[in-house]
Amino acid sequence: MTDPPASLPDLPAPGEPLRLVDVQRAVTAELDRIAPVVDVLGGLFEKAGHELALVGGPVRDAMLGRRSNDLDFATSAAPEVTEKILRAWGDAWWDMGRQFGTIGCRKGDWVVEVTTYRSDAYNPDSRKPEVSYGDTLVGDLGRRDFTVNAMAVRVPGREIVDPYGGVMDLAHRVLRTPGRPEDSFSDDPLRMMRAARFAAQLGFTVDRDVVRAMTGMADRIAIVSAERVRDELVKLICAPFPRLGLTLLVETGLADHVLPELPALKLERDEHHRHKDVYEHTLTVLEQAIDLEPRLAERGGVEAPDFVSRFAALMHDVGKPRTRRFQGDGTVTFHHHDVVGAKLTRKRMQALRFSGGQIEAVSKLVELHLRFHGYGSGEWTDAAVRRYVRDAGEELERLHVLTRADCTTRNRKKAERLRRTYDELEARIERLSEEEELASIRPDLDGNQIMEILGIPPGREVGEAYKYLLEQRLDHGPMSEEQATTVLREWWAARS
């Protein structure tokens, strides 16, 4: 089933219903657009004596006015029949999903997957189904996760099949399951994560019975692989309305199992903004980071949605529960929560099987998110600015976004003062970058030059000399080769 696009800019705000006339108009327009595929394929399967229907996500997205060239179909034909038809019609074909009854092909810009009607059975201790083929379209739709994904359009006749009220649920923007949610989530616990993800992607509310089932069955998510949980979490965080999905995970208890650091924040108070808890502050920082994403595209070439900056915003304060200390005057401190938070972030991302590059990027941002507050009103030396840039490395633009997003004070004067101060820091970085190429800071002598000047072979001492010259470069800026040689010889003489 095709997932919703990560960005749905033309959707109404969450909670606003859709007009049925608009839904009908949208699906008609989309079916006309994809007619070269659906009508032709429908005719080919019909000629072979089999049913074919557009199903799932493409139908839902068509009703929402969304366009996609990835189309999912269900058919009464066996996989070998589907393969024969698609091989004759398409430009290329594949059968990696054959064990699930799925054959795929590409035709020009279109990507098509056709799956034989299924009526899967699930082992209670696994989310992997025992695949068995069904014989009706309605039966196939009944095994799907939500009613808005359990609609179909028979082709080539374009008859809409909606046995579970998906059209009305889509119009009212609500997520329900075709049958009892307890049965659906027992079959596949990952569907609980998908409920939160679809809420975040589509701006839908979740039916009370679904929320109740998610709450009662949250611990069932433990049988789902970390990789699949991770993939759903990434899609949720990169969605247009991540607060909706994250709030649902926390309220149902699912977050206790997949991202326990998030609900832990509900119990903490922020040292700077004691009128709001750190949990709400964190969600606000995430939303503000999303608003600042255009900066990443303009300055860093990073297209939205950017998971790294969003997840860093979500995790930036997770060290606070471990570092909370109560002072005698009633204040609360969270000293070193940046360092502790980076360690917790790394551990959680490793458990969720994120890539090494993503783990390094996010944990670095969490560890550095407080560094700017040492800048005060501009007292940093140029050496401190160089170190800020050096430590941020490739994540500098994302650090700019996270630091700016981390300001959630309601005090306008304070917020404006912080913004002006960070503007000044960025201006200094740009000036120094133009003068000194900060992005590629390195010593003024390389390893070969160090060995030649000091007359030493490769080894630990070369590394120590290189590190010393790097510190001199950060403290004093660029030096000529002659100056660097003098500094190196003085260091070597003093060391000896």
Side-chain angles (χ1 to χ4, degrees):
M1 176 174 54
T2 301
D3 293 324
S7 177
L8 296 167
D10 54 353
L11 278 176
E16 294 182 14
L18 303 172
R19 297 190 308 166
L20 285 176
V21 64
D22 292 332
V23 171
Q24 181 61 48
R25 184 181 299 116
V27 74
T28 299
E30 179 63 359
L31 288 173
D32 287 341
R33 188 186 72 88
I34 64 178
V37 176
V38 296
D39 290 350
V40 172
L41 271 183
L44 292 174
F45 276 82
E46 188 176 59
K47 184 178 180 180
H50 293 285
E51 300 175 357
L52 185 70
L54 186 70
V55 293
V59 177
R60 177 202 62 226
D61 290 343
M63 292 182 176
L64 291 171
R66 303 300 302 173
R67 292 186 169 190
S68 176
N69 282 10
D70 293 353
L71 304 177
D72 297 336
F73 295 87
T75 182
S76 60
E80 55 269 21
V81 176
T82 297
E83 177 187 331
K84 182 178 179 180
I85 294 173
L86 294 185
R87 289 185 71 169
W89 174 75
D91 300 326
W93 71 281
W94 54 89
D95 65 349
M96 285 87 77
R98 182 182 290 274
Q99 62 177 322
F100 301 108
T102 301
I103 307 295
C105 83
R106 177 181 56 79
K107 176 76 168 181
D109 293 333
W110 305 96
V111 175
V112 168
E113 288 194 344
V114 182
T115 303
T116 302
Y117 294 157
R118 283 165 48 179
S119 56
D120 301 337
Y122 287 82
N123 183 314
D125 297 322
S126 172
R127 71 162 300 274
K128 296 181 179 180
E130 298 175 5
V131 178
S132 59
Y133 297 136
D135 52 13
T136 67
L137 175 59
V138 172
D140 181 88
L141 295 176
R143 69 179 182 82
R144 297 175 183 267
D145 51 7
F146 302 105
T147 60
V148 295
N149 296 326
M151 301 179 288
V153 178
R154 293 186 187 274
V155 292
R158 299 192 180 184
E159 171 197 354
I160 293 179
V161 181
D162 180 24
Y164 302 103
V167 173
M168 289 302 297
D169 285 346
L170 185 139
H172 290 105
R173 304 185 72 190
V174 62
L175 287 174
R176 289 190 309 110
T177 53
R180 287 188 348 118
E182 292 82 1
D183 296 335
S184 180
F185 298 153
S186 179
D187 284 347
D188 185 358
L190 188 66
R191 289 172 176 171
M192 296 186 288
M193 289 289 296
R194 288 172 65 83
R197 190 250 291 184
F198 279 121
Q201 285 183 320
L202 301 171
F204 283 20
T205 58
V206 181
D207 180 76
R208 283 181 297 178
D209 290 340
V210 173
V211 174
R212 190 178 301 116
M214 291 171 66
T215 304
M217 302 176 67
D219 59 348
R220 285 276 293 161
I221 199 67
I223 71 170
V224 180
S225 72
E227 291 82 358
R228 291 185 175 274
V229 170
R230 174 202 64 205
D231 291 346
E232 289 298 324
L233 191 61
V234 169
K235 292 174 183 176
L236 187 162
I237 290 170
C238 289
F241 313 110
R243 180 188 281 262
L244 292 179
L246 293 168
T247 300
L248 184 61
L249 291 181
V250 171
E251 291 179 348
T252 58
L254 272 168
D256 293 334
H257 301 277
V258 301
L259 195 64
E261 295 80 6
L262 182 60
L265 296 175
K266 290 178 72 72
L267 302 179
E268 306 304 322
R269 291 288 171 179
D270 184 282
E271 59 183 310
H272 301 300
H273 313 291
R274 297 176 63 186
H275 60 276
K276 65 180 81 169
D277 62 39
V278 181
Y279 170 74
E280 287 297 328
H281 163 75
T282 294
L283 295 181
T284 300
V285 172
L286 170 59
E287 291 177 325
Q288 293 185 168
I290 292 172
D291 291 339
L292 290 169
E293 279 184 338
R295 287 174 53 100
L296 295 177
E298 295 167 5
R299 302 181 178 210
V302 178
E303 295 300 323
D306 178 46
F307 171 77
V308 169
S309 62
R310 293 188 183 200
F311 200 56
L314 189 65
M315 301 295 283
H316 78 284
D317 273 348
V318 297
K320 284 190 171 180
R322 295 278 186 93
T323 58
R324 180 173 63 164
R325 299 292 183 271
F326 295 96
Q327 305 301 306
D329 60 0
T331 60
V332 182
T333 64
F334 303 96
H335 296 312
H336 308 300
H337 76 267
D338 46 348
V339 177
V340 173
K343 293 179 179 178
L344 292 173
T345 297
R346 181 182 297 275
K347 184 177 180 180
R348 177 56 49 199
M349 294 185 74
Q350 288 172 340
L352 290 171
R353 306 290 193 271
F354 278 96
S355 70
Q358 289 175 310
I359 294 172
E360 289 301 320
V362 175
S363 57
K364 175 185 284 189
L365 289 168
V366 172
E367 184 170 357
L368 294 178
H369 83 274
L370 284 183
R371 182 75 66 86
F372 160 72
H373 294 288
Y375 187 72
S377 57
E379 297 90 348
W380 277 6
T381 62
D382 283 353
V385 175
R386 293 186 191 103
R387 283 185 166 82
Y388 188 78
V389 174
R390 188 271 308 270
D391 292 346
E394 294 181 356
E395 305 309 322
L396 180 61
E397 292 301 332
R398 286 180 170 131
L399 183 58
H400 290 335
V401 165
L402 176 58
T403 304
R404 289 179 179 276
D406 195 22
C407 176
T408 61
T409 179
R410 296 178 183 176
N411 185 319
R412 291 186 178 181
K413 289 184 177 180
K414 182 177 180 180
E416 180 61 22
R417 184 172 66 252
L418 286 170
R419 185 192 64 76
R420 286 198 308 268
T421 305
Y422 205 81
D423 286 345
E424 179 189 334
L425 174 58
E426 285 200 54
R428 287 184 67 185
I429 290 173
E430 290 180 8
R431 176 177 58 79
L432 286 173
S433 294
E434 292 175 0
E435 296 173 357
E436 306 178 12
E437 299 182 0
L438 288 187
S440 57
I441 288 181
R442 56 179 57 86
D444 297 286
L445 300 174
D446 62 25
N448 290 327
Q449 290 171 304
I450 290 171
M451 289 186 288
E452 181 180 350
I453 292 168
L454 299 182
I456 59 176
R460 177 175 56 84
E461 291 174 328
V462 178
E464 291 176 356
Y466 187 92
K467 183 177 180 181
Y468 175 77
L469 288 175
L470 177 59
E471 291 300 316
Q472 295 300 304
R473 170 72 171 78
L474 290 168
D475 284 339
H476 305 295
M479 291 182 285
S480 68
E481 183 175 340
E482 181 180 354
Q483 290 172 321
T485 299
T486 300
V487 168
L488 176 64
R489 291 187 187 278
E490 290 174 351
W491 169 79
W492 183 251
R495 182 179 183 281
S496 300

